[in-house]
Amino acid sequence: MRGLLVLLVTLLLGGCVISSPQRAQYKEEYGNRQDIRTHTVYRFMTKPVRPSGEEYWGAANLAEFFYVDDKNATRVELRFNYAANTVDVVSLDAQNTVLRKRTIVLLDESAAKPADTEDVYLTLTKDGELTKKVRSCKPDMSVGCQWWNHKLFITRSGDLAVQYEKGGAGLMFLLVPAYGSTEYLEIYPKVG
C-alpha cells in the first residue's frame, strides 16, 4: 500500500513544471503600472529593451504582435478610440512613414468573443490593461488543454510591457497528470 502511495505522489509531482525567469521584474513593473486609458496615443519601438530569448508570436517584435509587421518598421503607434472600442495600430519607419495599418477591436472584460475567428481583438480590463487569451482543448493521445495569454500594460516610465504566458494541463495517456507554465516579459521603450 505504501509503495502505491509513493508511486502516485511521484507521478502527481513529476508532471508539474513552472518557469518564470523574469518574475521579479514583472512584479516590480506591474505593481507600478499606469492605466492605459490615461492617453489615447502611444508610440513604442518595435524591439524590446531586452528580448526574452524565446520564440513565440510577437516575441521581440511589437509590430508582429499587432499584425502590422514590415521589415522597415522601427515604431508602432497605438491610437485608442475608447468610445468606439477600437485601437488603430500602425507600423512606422524611421521617417514616420506609415507602413501598415490595422484596426483592432477592444472588448470589455464581460463581453463575448467575436463570432468571426478571423477578428483580431484585445480585452480592455477595468484596471486599464490589455489582454489576449487563447485556449485550445483537443483530445488526442491524452486529455488536456493549452493556453497562450498576453498581458499588456504601461510601466511607470511610460514604456509598454508585454507579458506572455504559455501553459498546458492534462492527463497523459489518461493516467499521468501533467501541468506546465512559462512566462516571459518584454519591455518596449516609448518614443518621445
Side-chain angles (χ1 to χ4, degrees):
M1 181 69 169
R2 180 179 246 178
L4 183 61
L5 182 61
V6 170
L7 179 63
L8 182 62
V9 170
T10 303
L11 288 174
L12 287 174
L13 295 177
C16 184
V17 178
I18 298 173
S19 173
S20 184
Q22 298 133 331
R23 190 67 166 158
Q25 181 184 11
Y26 170 76
K27 283 184 174 182
E28 180 182 332
E29 295 292 354
Y30 190 74
N32 297 303
R33 70 190 181 281
Q34 299 178 34
D35 189 324
I36 203 163
R37 295 168 292 200
T38 305
H39 301 288
T40 56
V41 178
Y42 291 94
R43 279 192 179 181
F44 303 103
M45 300 301 293
T46 57
K47 301 297 177 199
V49 174
R50 189 180 74 210
S52 68
E54 290 299 312
E55 295 293 325
Y56 53 87
W57 178 256
N61 187 343
L62 197 58
E64 181 182 73
F65 176 79
F66 285 111
Y67 301 94
V68 291
D69 193 23
D70 187 280
K71 66 179 180 170
N72 296 319
T74 59
R75 299 173 179 89
V76 170
E77 180 181 273
L78 307 176
R79 189 171 297 272
F80 290 89
N81 183 339
Y82 297 110
N85 294 325
T86 60
V87 57
D88 289 324
V89 182
V90 296
S91 57
L92 305 165
D93 64 11
Q95 291 75 36
N96 288 327
T97 304
V98 173
L99 301 171
R100 296 187 189 244
K101 182 177 181 178
R102 178 170 212 126
T103 299
I104 297 175
V105 175
L106 292 177
L107 297 178
D108 183 77
E109 284 179 287
S110 60
K113 294 180 183 178
D116 185 356
T117 57
E118 296 299 314
D119 285 347
V120 177
Y121 66 90
L122 293 169
T123 302
L124 178 61
T125 69
K126 63 183 177 208
D127 296 327
E129 306 164 353
L130 297 175
T131 62
K132 179 179 182 180
K133 297 180 179 185
V134 178
R135 299 206 188 306
S136 174
C137 297
K138 297 180 181 173
D140 50 18
M141 290 288 293
S142 58
V143 176
C145 293
Q146 293 182 316
W147 59 86
W148 303 269
N149 298 331
H150 288 88
K151 182 185 292 187
L152 291 75
F153 60 92
I154 305 298
T155 67
R156 65 175 167 243
S157 57
D159 299 328
L160 181 67
V162 179
Q163 183 204 30
Y164 173 72
E165 176 196 8
K166 65 178 178 179
L171 290 172
M172 296 185 300
F173 305 108
L174 301 175
L175 181 64
V176 180
Y179 174 86
S181 178
T182 308
E183 297 174 354
Y184 304 100
L185 179 70
E186 293 184 329
I187 307 290
Y188 294 87
K190 69 179 175 182
V191 177

